[in-house]
Amino acid sequence: MSAPARAESLARLERLVAALRAKGLVSEEELAAMQARTDRASPEIGARMVARAWLDPTWRALLLQDGAAAAERMGVSMAGAPPLGVLENRPGLHHLVVCTLCSCYPRAVLGYPPGWYKSFEYRSRAVRDPRGVLAEWGTTLPAGTKVRVVDSTADYRWMVLPMRPEGTEGWSEDQLAALVTRDALVGVALPQVPARAAA
Amino acid sequence: MSDPAPTPAIHDMGGLSRFRCSAVERDEAPPDAFGKRVDALRQILAQKGLMTVDELRRGIEAIPEPEYFALTYYERWLTSITGLMLEKGVVTPEDLA
């Protein structure tokens, strides 16, 4: 697990905030409001976008053409956020998203990146040994599937549109969205139908 | 096993053999209070036109290798943000003393 910040760093942060506050550049209210806004973004938004794409071809086309416009359509503010590209998995082609340089992540629709996404191991290995990384998540792709690894950058963020699992015919958007995990949206996992729910 | 070419900079980690044999530690914890506060501060400073993401990155990527590895993720951010605010004269070293 990532180590907690040192006391020295906590003090350094408070000195900086105090200096900015003294100059009227930042207030505690602004900090609290921004943190609350950031906390509200979660993978449930991305999952909803995917479930809708599985049900509605027009929405799917919009999502693939302009992910940020689709997110705005869901009520997500993309002001100041970089463009959002959506990578369509299909039979024989799987996508995996990484940010090798740091931690670029579609935060507006997935929330904070998890610790492992920012780890040195994921950043270095996702491009060199993507199938090995997938195996650590217990993800095995059908034989012959090509893996395309996409590097998220400061200027362009990516999320995956996974394939709709079999056995979900007739499911509602809510039911489908519940299958789409954050890991499936990054590409390290595939949406799974719980054994109980499968016909 | 060695890399075919020298690694240009420490943050450029794609394919780095140093981590070739290490499993990805499945750290799922959300940022702690310190991390969330640094994160919110960065967004506010960006909103006010006091810094950009590219500047944040330049500051992070300029951290010398030993320190880069020793600091936590949001400590690297704080190092960069503080450096930028000093560089731009938004705050002075005396303000932070």
Side-chain angles (χ1 to χ4, degrees), chain A residues 71-125:
Chain A
E72 292 269 9
R73 205 72 80 78
M74 304 258 321
V76 176
S77 167
M78 298 295 281
L84 172 64
V86 178
L87 304 158
E88 183 183 32
N89 283 353
R90 45 181 193 262
L93 179 64
H94 180 82
H95 292 91
L96 179 67
V97 179
V98 62
C99 172
T100 60
L101 297 179
C102 186
S103 55
C104 298
Y105 190 75
R107 292 171 47 144
V109 295
L110 263 67
Y112 295 105
W116 56 260
Y117 186 85
K118 304 183 285 190
S119 70
F120 303 141
E121 291 80 10
Y122 186 75
R123 285 165 55 190
S124 59
R125 288 184 50 228

Side-chain angles (χ1 to χ4, degrees), chain A residues 38 107 112, chain B residues 34-43 74 77:
Chain A
T38 310
R107 292 171 47 144
Y112 295 105
Chain B
F34 168 79
K36 287 187 175 188
R37 194 161 161 85
V38 173
D39 198 296
L41 179 64
R42 185 208 65 79
Q43 293 186 69
Y74 281 111
W77 279 36

Side-chain angles (χ1 to χ4, degrees), chain A residues 7-62:
Chain A
E8 175 204 324
S9 299
L10 297 175
R12 220 150 48 91
L13 172 60
E14 291 322 308
R15 282 199 299 273
L16 177 61
V17 170
L20 292 167
R21 229 174 20 215
K23 292 172 196 292
L25 293 169
V26 169
S27 70
E28 284 305 325
E29 292 70 30
E30 283 175 304
L31 281 164
M34 183 59 81
Q35 188 174 317
R37 205 189 94 168
T38 310
D39 279 340
R40 275 197 297 275
S42 90
E44 285 169 29
I45 300 168
R48 176 74 49 185
M49 291 165 78
V50 165
R52 199 165 287 181
W54 287 344
L55 293 169
D56 178 352
T58 310
W59 170 264
R60 184 186 188 93
L62 169 67

Side-chain angles (χ1 to χ4, degrees), chain B residues 23-24 46 92 97:
Chain B
V24 178
T92 64

Side-chain angles (χ1 to χ4, degrees), chain B residues 1-32:
Chain B
M1 175 130 195
S2 64
D3 288 302
T7 307
I10 191 54
H11 70 280
D12 191 358
M13 287 202 173
L16 208 63
S17 51
R18 174 168 179 170
F19 301 103
R20 185 82 196 264
C21 300
S22 316
V24 178
E25 196 183 348
R26 293 281 282 278
D27 177 3
E28 300 284 353
D32 59 11

